Every structure is written in C-alpha cells, then in structure tokens.
Amino acid sequence: MDETADLDGIIAAHAGRRGALLPILHDVQQRFGCISPAAEARIARALNLSRAEVHGVVSFYHDFTAEPDPQPCIELCRAEACQALGVEAMVPAAQAAAGDRVRIKTVYCLGLCSAGPSARIGDALHARLDEAALVKLVQSA
Amino acid sequence: MRQVRISDDSLALACGADAVAAGFVAAGWTVERVSSWGMHWLEPLVEVDGIGWGPVTPARVAEVIAGKADDLCIGPVADHPFLAGQQRLTFARAGKTRPLSLEDYAATGGWMALTRARAMAPADVAEAVIASGLRGRGGAGFPAGIKWRTVADAPGAEKFIVCNADEGDSGTFADRMLMEGDPFQLLEGMAIAAHAVGAAQGYIYVRSEYPRAIAKLAAAIVLAAPLLAPFTVELRVGAGAYVCGEETSLLNSIEGKRGEVRAKPPLPALHGLFGCPTVVNNVLTLAAVPHVLMPQGASLYASLGIDRSRGTMPIQLAGNVRFGGLYETSFGIPLGTLVNGIGGGTASGRPVKAVQVGGPLGAYIHPDRFDLPFDYEAFAAADALIGHGGVVVFDDRADMAQLARFAMQFCAAESCGKCTPCRIGSTRGVELIDRIRAGADTPAGSVEALPQMHNARKTGRGRADDVDLLEDMCETMQYGSLCALGGFTPYPVRSALHHWPEDFGLAGSRGENSDGL
C-alpha cells in the first residue's frame, strides 16, 4: 500500500538520527495531514518505543492531530500584544464570516507584535488587521 | 537601472513588502532584499540611495519612483532619530545586509571573532565572556560565561551547544528578526561557544510559528557549514508548545519526548541533552558573543549598561504603541522613556494604562513606576521581570482583570502538567478570578461538605476571602512550580490585582496591599 510505503520512507529518512521522533512526526503530519493510530503504531515499532510513548508525544504538541482537518484554516493571534490592539473585539465578526466553512484557530504570538493584530494562512502572514480586513481574510481562506 | 532596498523580514512581508517590491520590478528597477531596520511602523520601508520612504503601498510606488510622495519620505534612513538614539551591537547589521549573503557578512566583520576565538585557549574564551558581564538574554539573566565554564569543566565525552530559539512570548520578536536578518551571527556565536566548551555538535530549536526563520536558518546552516567545521549545527523545529521555551522542556523535546520540564538539579550544564553537559543559551545571548570576542570586545561590552546588567539589550516595543519596533540600547534606560519618548505613547492616542514587560509571565507595570530603569535587579526589586525584553503597551481601555484571567488561562492551556501548582493552580486561578469579577460570594460548598474534606471550612466565602485565596495560590505557584511557566504566572495576576483592584470590582485604594509595585 502506498501510504505504508510513504510512512516507511519517512521513517527511513530519519534513521540513525538522535531524537528522531519529532522530525518524523512533522513529516508525517505534513504528508498525511494527521498522525493516525496506525501511523503511531508503525513509528513506535520502528523506533523501539511503546505505542503509549508515541501517543503521549503526539497528543502533547498542538501541531499534531489525530485526524486530518479538511477545513481551510486561519490562525489568529490572540496573545497580549494583539489584545492590546483590540483583537478580541474583532473575533465575533470573524467567527460570523467563518461560519462552518473556515476554522479559526487561536495562536499565541506570530512574532508580529509591533504591528498587530496579526494572522496567518499557511505561510502567508498578515499584520495591522482591522475588523474589515480580518473578515475579508477569513472569507478568502 | 535604479536599485531599491526592501526588507524581506516576516513583519515587512505581513505589511505587504512583496507587492511593493513587485511594483518596483514592474517599473524596471532591481530590488535588493535586506533585513529590517526594526522601524516597524514604517514597514514596508523602501530605501533608494540611502533615502527612505514608508510605509509604502503598491499604489504609491510610482510616486516614490518619481521622487514625490513627500509625506512618506523620512530622509536618510541611517539618520532617523529612532536609529540615531540606539546603541546597536547585536543588531548592528539590521537593515544593512542581505541576510543570506556570506559576502555581506564577511564584509561587515563576520567570522573575525570566531577566528580570534579559535586562536585562543578554550578556557580563555569563557573567561572573556565572563569579563564582558554578558548574561543570558532569554529571561533568567544567568551569567553566560559561568555557564560555559561549568560545561567546559564537566566530565563527559560529548558536549552540546543548544540554541533556545523557541521565542513564544507575546511582545517579543528580536529572536525572529535576528534569525531572519542575520543568521550567520547566531551560527558564529554557537561555534565560539562550541570551541569554549569542547562541543562538536549544536542544535537550534526554533518554534514552528516562525516558518521564515526556519527557512532562513536552514539555508544559512548549509552555506556556513564549511566555515563552522568541524562544528556542525542541526535545526530542530518545535511543534506548538509554549513550555518548550523552558530549557529542560526544550531538551526533552529535542530528544523526541513530551516537552515536560525536568526537575533541577541536575543542571543541564552537567546533565543536559542526551545526558551530556550542555550549554543552553538564547538566540540573543549567542548572537552577542561575536562582539565580546572582538579585540577589546569584552571590556567594551562591560563598559555599557548599569550595575550588574552589562552591555546592550534589544528591547521590543509592541502592542498599542505608536512607534513600534526594535530598539537596542544599553541597560538602564527608564521604562517611561521607552514607552512615551521612543515609543511615542499609544497608537490609539489614548492614555497609557499599563505596560507588560517580559512576555505573558511578566508583571503589568503602572505608569507611576515609569522611572524604573531597564535593569535586571531593579525590575526584580519591583516584583517584575525584564524577561526577553518585550514591552507591550495598553491604553486606558484595557481590562486588567480580564488580562489577569487570560494569564491564568494561558498557563492552564500551556502547562506541561508535570507539577501540581501549575497544572491545577492555573485552572483554579481562572475560576477564582471569574468569581471575584462576578462579585459573587462562594456558597457553603458542596465540595467542602464531603466527609473527606473534614478540614475544609464549612461556611461560604466572601469576595475578600476569594482574593486572599487567590493571593495564597499565587504564592504556592510562584514558589512551588518546577519552572517559570507556573512560577511566573503570578506576576501578571498579582500586579493587575494590586494596581487596578477597581477592574476586579474591588473597592479600596490602589496599592492598599501592594508589596513593592
């Protein structure tokens, strides 16, 4: 099966690397959009770890998910610096624009704190958002 | 053909620098992508023959080309008052060089410190760092040279240099700017540290929220490899966990484990990555090292600053501030000068209500303490912390009780769960603040009525009791937590409670039960 071959390829690419688990999980998340229970089991076997150990790591980090998320996603910074510029008051309008179509994910800091509020879609960054700009961004996600 | 310089820093891109660059290309100009000067309110800033315009929109590119757009023109960029007032060491190349150009780096003094350090005995390198007074710029402020000497003297066949680039604090972006704008300087600092302690391998652990910093570093590591050899550097990417900025969590994460903190001792300097002696330093600490290792560098560094805070600190002006950006200067500058003078007060034009210094775990400082000098000890004496140098400004619309609640909620969301005060205290803290804000008394409880709770009080609690309980819990978190996440969350909570009790619906004059601030 293709998926298994891909998974084994990812594991093999990191063979011999010390502390290989996180780099492997990043690649698996990137390739499959999630880290499935089956993938957890296969990675555990390859690294001579228990399933519980791998699952413990996967579930600890916000970046890893157990199921793929087909929804387009916008990451909105809601940390203090963006709060100081009124991001919280914009959230209801953004939620309304997102509806069931777009997922608005909260992040704590994109490192654009001198020009907030800020958001990220994929690797594209957006700063100095006001409510109208944010709503437009959500609609374009 | 005319040439224009435009930054490719994340913040410039987020403000539309690519579209502006495309406008110049369409007009037949060549565009050179450089690092950012750090004058963020002017981004995208474009520079032609040293003259700057900003913030430029694609619609106004034609005007800039025609030499018009007078309202955007700031004159010679290097003479701008914001820059002229700074003492730039770590960010000396900011705005001036192409981030991934080995040529630019060498032409501006790059690699000289490494060559010099490698001609010295390793112990002398650590001594130079001790003499400079350089302290960790990541938050705790531990003397960097002492840490290096400890690692150098520690028994172990293998040693590591780990760069903590997990800059998760809101209001901070200096690490990101340095990694994107001057990555070779960081690598040079790491190689110097490696020589000082006898390490062959280094790791940079950078947060996944910084995709451009990751890409720049990855490219820089490949380009610089022959110059760093035999020292090698590997890039590791975090996976969205704030607590991994804590050094022992970070080490666990590199090892492929949950990012839980480790109890100290043993110190990472003795028992760190993979059980080996390890230097863990922040990006800014390592990036300051090349300056220290230049001829007379250590004494020059030691001559700047005040008291035990030596050298310069890249201060990040953020939040509701008019002139936001990166301001590097010697320690000792009063907080009020930073906020109202250099920062120009709030962006909204309203009065400043509070300033949070040192990230989400830093205290909220009232404007009546704006005389505080930017200095580790002075801040500590005022129950506050400098942390990583982030300064977040809030105007009079800020709800300090809401911000205190947010601090507890953030701690609850990001706690690694290893120690009880942080894991449980943070959630109970949110509940307590909610109850205090709601003005509700706590009824004689269902929990307290349980037979196993025979020591608990049987009567209900009033708001004053809840405030006492919150204070008590903050103390337990501060002194009982294993790391700074649980240990420092009380700073924003208590400072908000003490200085703005009215925001919690509490009567009483400000500072009634204040202990310091």
Side-chain angles (χ1 to χ4, degrees), chain B residues 371-390:
Chain B
D371 59 322
L372 261 185
F374 217 81
D375 158 58
Y376 287 106
E377 276 70 35
F379 266 62
D383 256 342
L385 44 108
I386 287 177
H388 189 35

Side-chain angles (χ1 to χ4, degrees), chain B residues 86-100:
Chain B
Q86 299 192 41
Q87 286 170 298
R88 285 198 163 179
L89 288 177
T90 305
F91 281 87
R93 292 185 188 84
K96 299 175 183 168
T97 56
R98 293 168 291 177
L100 291 174

Side-chain angles (χ1 to χ4, degrees), chain B residues 150-218:
Chain B
T150 308
V151 173
D153 293 344
E158 204 178 6
K159 288 164 187 177
F160 294 104
I161 306 298
V162 170
C163 170
N164 183 346
D166 192 337
E167 174 184 66
D169 286 358
S170 170
T172 62
F173 43 78
D175 288 2
R176 180 187 63 65
M177 281 184 69
L178 191 107
M179 290 188 283
E180 291 186 24
D182 201 359
F184 297 129
Q185 193 182 355
L186 171 60
L187 294 174
E188 185 176 4
M190 289 180 75
I192 292 168
H195 175 69
V197 307
Q201 165 86 53
Y203 290 90
I204 303 175
Y205 185 92
V206 57
R207 63 200 298 258
S208 59
E209 290 87 345
Y210 285 175
R212 287 194 63 82
I214 293 166
K216 286 267 183 71
L217 281 174

